Amino acid sequence: MLVNGRDLANQAKQSIEEIHCHELALLLTQEIILIDVRERHEVDTGMLPGAVHISRGVLEMQLDTHPAVAHHSNPLEVMAQQPVYLYCRSGVRSALAAESLQKMGFKRVFSLAGGIQAWQEAKLPVVNAKT
């Protein structure tokens, strides 16, 4: 059976947890693992405060480079003990990424519902990307 991208994303959303903008905004006062999975040219337009950029295409292979855990001897194990928040432009790629991290063994992974588009529509802050 052939499945299109939209259907694949909808299936992923059935097996992951989404977080809404205002819920995530409240968490930004804490140190959290927040990953922007968009492409570099998208990130250059702005990011959520405190986010680290790891493109969707390399996420699984570069998770252990996240600054919050990179200095540990087993960074993925340390990261898997914490909630991980992902976002993209509209919430599709981050849902697929969240599903992938769950398959890797992560238990508390969240995708931002509606992505940065919903965040900006809610008039929440965006910062310049760190280069």
Side-chain angles (χ1 to χ4, degrees), residues 15 21 30 42 44 47 50 56 69 72 75 87 93 104-105 128:
S15 66
C21 296
Q30 308 166 27
E42 295 174 290
D44 290 341
M47 300 173 70
R56 171 70 193 103
V69 297
H72 291 280
Y87 74 93
R93 286 173 284 175
M104 290 176 67
N128 289 334

Side-chain angles (χ1 to χ4, degrees), residues 35-43 47 52-63 65 86-88 93-94 97 101:
I35 302 173
D36 185 329
V37 299
R38 296 177 298 156
E39 297 299 319
R40 176 87 249 167
H41 71 277
E42 295 174 290
V43 170
M47 300 173 70
V52 170
H53 174 244
I54 306 175
S55 295
R56 171 70 193 103
V58 296
L59 180 66
E60 295 83 354
M61 301 306 291
Q62 292 187 2
L63 264 180
T65 66
L86 307 168
Y87 74 93
C88 62
R93 286 173 284 175
S94 58
L101 266 54

Side-chain angles (χ1 to χ4, degrees), residues 65-87:
T65 66
H66 190 287
V69 297
H71 60 283
H72 291 280
S73 60
N74 194 339
L76 289 182
E77 223 170 87
V78 172
M79 186 181 279
Q81 301 303 313
Q82 303 173 52
V84 176
Y85 301 91
L86 307 168
Y87 74 93

